[in-house]
Amino acid sequence: MGTTSSQAVPTLEELQDWARDPSKEHWRNLIAALTDLLVSNLEADAGVHGDAYAEIVCRLLDDVATEVRKELSQRVAPIDHFPGKVVRRLASDEAAEVATPMLEHSPVLTEADLIGIVEMMMPDHNRAISRRKSLNEKLTDALAKRGDIETMRTMAANPGAKFSPKTYRLVAEKAKTDVGLQESLVERDDLTHIISLQITPFLSEELKARLKALDAKPEGGSLLDSLTEISSEAEIKAKQRRERAAIYSLIEQVRAGTANASTEALRLAAKNQPTALTHFVAGIAQLSDGAIEDALSNAEGKPLALILRGVGLSKDAALAVGKERVRQLDLPEAELDKWIEDYAAINGREAQHLLQVLRDKESASANSRQKGGRGAPPSRR
């Protein structure tokens, strides 16, 4: 796909003729020519013409053959700063052969983009994501929850995939009945003793020998290390429970008027405790943690601004929370400056009204799940 240096650049009249072609025979050429124009001037023109390119090409992609979409995906997947609208359109294409290049290689896709695709698309899409050069714990958590064994094998064989302890245990549990997954786990550099003990009874003699060769420590030492790890994990969980209880107490103080929400938000942000900050904002907003996490990962930023304005946070406190959004989405500092200006311009009463709408919506959703027997409602904190 695309023009070569020996091909003449199409004229405006040719582009118009291709666009008007009712048979769509020339739409492949049109997409290629427009992509050539954008890529050749990407550094200078992405901000100027990227939106117009994305608008045109996304409309064309809905009506062209799978092969055309696949060609475009393969061509632009590795490109930095390519228009996100086109990247997300291709990455969420129902045809796995179209989505795969983007899901495996695109640096434009954010963590939130990828998790959304994991939750909505088919196993082939998730397997493509599991082959990315780097996978953080949130992504491997999301992939593991879907339970596709082939995806788990690919993740386990991927040295750039990082697992949380919870997900590592889930993968190890699946490995008990899957030889391919066992082989991948045995070769991982970050395999802990406690996970190795968990899977050892289910390994073949060959894999047991390989695992033993990789572990230079004596058996007694391995068991001691495992018990130490169990103890450490229990201590970590106990600490997390204490920290969460302290946040709940702080939320009650804010509600009772004995603590200031803005002051406490600034304190938590200064201590670099993003999880505690999320719990705190959810609690004073009377929303679930998930609602705040969604707002923090929202590319537009307005939902977070409305929530914070609705609870009456000061501009400085809102800025501190907004920095966490910028960090999560890896946004430029200029984005934070614009966001806080927009925050200051929001009408407080309107924000309070919209916040109440969000609360009512969450409450209705929780009641619906209870009546439908699909589990307990989400936490209001």
Side-chain angles (χ1 to χ4, degrees):
M1 187 178 200
T3 59
T4 66
S5 57
S6 61
Q7 293 175 315
V9 176
T11 65
L12 178 60
E13 288 74 16
E14 286 177 312
L15 292 175
Q16 290 174 329
D17 288 342
W18 291 345
R20 295 187 185 113
D21 184 355
S23 69
K24 305 170 190 171
E25 180 182 350
H26 291 106
W27 284 14
R28 179 198 297 256
N29 294 337
L30 178 59
I31 291 174
L34 292 173
T35 304
D36 286 340
L37 290 170
L38 184 70
V39 170
S40 63
N41 298 283
L42 193 58
E43 290 298 327
D45 288 356
V48 179
H49 300 303
D51 290 345
Y53 167 86
E55 188 68 27
I56 295 169
V57 170
C58 284
R59 289 185 183 182
L60 296 175
L61 290 176
D62 289 336
D63 292 303
V64 296
T66 300
E67 188 62 29
V68 178
R69 305 197 305 276
K70 178 182 175 182
E71 288 176 5
L72 179 62
S73 184
Q74 289 174 329
R75 179 182 178 189
V76 305
I79 300 177
D80 288 320
H81 311 302
F82 203 77
K85 185 174 181 180
V86 177
V87 170
R88 288 188 289 273
R89 164 64 181 82
L90 292 168
S92 59
D93 198 291
E94 290 185 359
E97 61 266 39
V98 174
T100 291
M102 284 294 177
L103 297 176
E104 283 192 34
H105 305 295
S106 176
V108 177
L109 292 171
T110 65
E111 175 190 279
D113 291 331
L114 292 166
I115 289 177
I117 290 169
V118 168
E119 293 173 347
M120 294 175 58
M121 303 305 291
M122 302 300 289
D124 284 344
H125 294 71
N126 293 345
R127 291 166 198 163
I129 294 174
S130 71
R131 293 190 290 270
R132 287 180 72 88
K133 186 177 180 180
S134 176
L135 292 171
N136 64 27
E137 290 183 0
K138 285 188 177 181
L139 280 168
T140 54
D141 285 351
L143 288 164
K145 285 177 184 176
R146 294 300 297 269
D148 175 60
I149 193 66
E150 185 61 37
T151 299
M152 286 191 178
R153 290 186 197 128
T154 306
M155 283 196 307
N158 183 349
K162 307 301 179 186
F163 297 137
S164 67
K166 179 180 178 181
T167 293
Y168 222 146
R169 289 193 294 272
L170 174 61
V171 173
E173 186 67 28
K174 290 283 186 181
K176 291 178 180 180
T177 55
D178 187 89
V179 175
L181 191 51
Q182 291 172 6
E183 291 177 344
S184 296
L185 284 178
V186 164
E187 296 296 333
R188 287 190 65 87
D189 291 338
D190 61 351
L191 184 68
T192 62
H193 291 297
I194 192 168
I195 297 297
S196 67
L197 287 179
Q198 184 176 340
I199 64 173
T200 294
F202 305 91
L203 300 179
S204 66
E205 292 304 317
E206 178 186 350
L207 287 178
K208 285 180 182 177
R210 194 187 307 175
L211 183 61
K212 187 175 181 180
L214 291 171
D215 184 5
K217 296 181 180 180
E219 188 66 24
S222 294
L223 179 58
L224 178 60
D225 287 345
S226 299
L227 293 173
T228 300
E229 185 175 341
I230 292 172
S231 176
S232 298
E233 187 174 334
E235 290 177 3
I236 290 171
K237 287 183 176 179
K239 181 181 178 182
Q240 289 173 340
R241 285 195 296 270
R242 290 194 298 271
E243 289 175 348
R244 188 147 187 160
I247 294 298
Y248 287 160
S249 175
L250 190 59
I251 290 166
E252 294 304 323
Q253 292 175 45
V254 170
R255 290 180 180 174
T258 57
N260 181 273
S262 296
T263 300
E264 298 305 330
L266 282 166
R267 183 178 62 80
L268 291 171
K271 292 174 69 175
N272 193 25
Q273 296 181 326
T275 301
L277 186 60
T278 298
H279 293 329
F280 177 71
V281 173
I284 61 175
Q286 298 178 52
L287 294 171
S288 67
D289 285 359
I292 305 305
E293 289 166 358
D294 288 345
L296 283 167
S297 62
N298 189 291
E300 292 184 7
K302 190 171 183 180
L304 179 64
L306 287 169
I307 291 171
L308 300 182
R309 190 67 166 155
V311 297
L313 285 192
S314 68
K315 188 175 178 179
D316 287 343
L319 184 64
V321 179
K323 285 181 180 178
E324 176 60 22
R325 171 179 165 270
V326 165
R327 186 193 67 78
Q328 287 190 20
L329 297 179
D330 195 22
L331 298 173
E333 285 296 324
E335 171 69 20
L336 183 60
D337 295 337
K338 182 180 182 302
W339 180 83
I340 199 63
E341 288 179 9
D342 293 340
Y343 173 83
I346 294 173
N347 181 281
R349 288 192 176 182
E350 290 181 6
Q352 290 173 5
H353 172 72
L354 290 171
L355 178 56
Q356 187 58 52
V357 170
L358 283 176
R359 291 168 181 157
D360 293 343
K361 185 177 179 180
E362 275 207 336
S363 179
S365 177
N367 290 336
S368 176
R369 280 196 297 273
Q370 281 187 309
K371 291 178 181 178
R374 293 193 290 272
S379 168
R380 296 290 285 175
R381 296 178 182 173

